[in-house]
Amino acid sequence: MRKMTDTSMSAPMAAALTSAVLIASDGTSISAGHLPHEGDLCLVVAHGFTGQWRSERVEKVIRVLSRSAGVVVIDMRGHGESGGVTTIGHKEIQDVSAAVGWARELGYRYVVTVGFSMGGAVVLRQAAFPEGESDHVDAVIAVSAPAFWHYRGTKIMRRMHAVVASKAGRTFMRTRGTRIDSQGWPDPMPAAPVEAISLYPHLPVLIVHGDIDRYFPLEHPRALHAAAVAGGNENVQLWEIPGFGHAESAIDDETLEQIVDWAREQMTRVEG
């Protein structure tokens, strides 16, 4: 049984969203929502670890982004009402690919992924490994994303790794609505975000990070930016935001508005 503890989305927002069940390429069911916009840009939002799209913290993101673009949101596998178990960044690229494909089916000309924390790692990787023509993206935005796998350089990340690695920790997280894969990752490991970001020098990329992030310090966004530049990307930007903590819970409306403005600017350049 799945225990849903973070379904704090307001009734008006829940009513405005059209919900759907998508199927990832490996057959995993993915809960999704869509808030339409009359324009031709859709932002596909990927939440952080333990998140889900019906939560209050994701609603804030939807509310601001939807002022200027269509928004597709998902529960990544192992979270919320989606099936499967979370692999914490590995197989979740299939979930984002399904969401991008849905955005294309909905008729949007431009699709930009926006990922937070774990979701940031996922969108950086998904852009490098699309499954077909329909899930190619037009730009990538990663907020509070890790550059490296298995990072334990902060107290909170050491604690998180201990939870994920133990049966008791995974059992506890299941009661909180997050179901974690107990099988571990393949050997060799999948490409880390810092490796994947160098594989698409043609795509606009925005990296947003706070200078007081307790999870991933500034070495992560700086490493991502350096890798993109080394890979030949001349349209990658790094925004280091003073006073910004971590991911959806800490981001303010002004930064979200600047993010969607950046996305629209990239699409304007494509049209030009």
Side-chain angles (χ1 to χ4, degrees):
M1 178 180 295
R2 301 174 190 169
K3 183 175 181 180
M4 304 291 292
T5 60
D6 192 11
T7 54
S8 49
M9 175 173 281
S10 68
M13 179 63 78
L17 282 151
T18 299
S19 62
V21 177
L22 312 179
I23 304 299
S25 58
D26 65 353
T28 302
S29 61
I30 303 299
S31 174
H34 172 230
L35 191 60
H37 189 273
E38 61 184 13
D40 53 8
L41 171 64
C42 183
L43 302 175
V44 172
V45 177
H47 59 74
F49 182 59
T50 75
Q52 54 185 274
W53 67 262
R54 294 173 180 83
S55 66
E56 182 178 3
R57 71 188 191 189
V58 175
E59 176 176 358
K60 173 181 68 175
V61 173
I62 298 170
R63 174 176 49 79
V64 177
L65 298 186
S66 65
R67 295 170 185 166
S68 303
V71 177
V72 164
V73 288
I74 58 172
D75 289 344
M76 288 189 285
R77 62 186 59 210
H79 291 79
E81 295 191 2
S82 288
V85 290
T86 178
T87 59
I88 317 183
H90 175 206
K91 297 180 181 179
E92 283 78 5
I93 62 174
Q94 299 172 56
D95 312 344
V96 171
S97 285
V100 172
W102 188 37
R104 299 289 186 195
E105 290 177 10
L106 290 168
Y108 291 101
R109 182 179 180 185
Y110 302 113
V111 180
V112 176
T113 47
V114 186
F116 294 83
S117 193
M118 180 187 79
V122 172
V123 300
L124 289 170
R125 297 188 65 247
Q126 188 275 339
F129 307 108
E131 298 176 341
E133 290 300 321
S134 66
D135 66 328
H136 282 264
V137 298
D138 297 294
V140 184
I141 301 170
V143 182
S144 306
F148 320 108
W149 294 141
H150 304 309
Y151 178 74
R152 293 177 172 83
T154 56
K155 182 177 179 180
I156 197 165
M157 288 305 299
R158 290 191 290 274
R159 186 183 305 135
M160 193 202 84
H161 279 285
V163 168
V164 170
S166 70
K167 183 177 180 180
R170 292 191 298 272
T171 299
F172 171 75
M173 292 304 298
R174 181 176 287 270
T175 70
R176 307 296 294 176
T178 302
R179 304 168 303 282
I180 303 169
D181 188 3
S182 63
Q183 299 303 309
W185 280 1
D187 185 15
M189 289 195 302
V194 73
E195 299 167 314
I197 198 173
S198 67
L199 300 180
Y200 38 88
H202 61 291
L203 283 181
V205 178
L206 175 61
I207 303 162
V208 182
H209 216 92
D211 66 350
I212 57 170
D213 193 310
R214 296 188 302 124
Y215 292 77
F216 307 115
L218 289 173
E219 66 183 276
H220 288 263
R222 291 171 180 174
L224 290 169
H225 183 263
V229 171
N233 196 325
E234 297 181 353
N235 197 9
V236 56
Q237 294 185 28
L238 169 58
W239 296 355
E240 295 181 4
I241 309 297
F244 171 35
H246 185 73
E248 308 103 316
S249 297
I251 198 166
D252 60 24
D253 286 8
E254 180 181 0
T255 302
L256 288 168
E257 289 167 354
Q258 291 170 346
I259 284 172
V260 72
D261 287 346
W262 179 89
R264 295 209 65 85
E265 180 183 347
Q266 307 315 305
M267 301 310 100
T268 300
R269 289 179 178 178
V270 171
E271 292 176 343

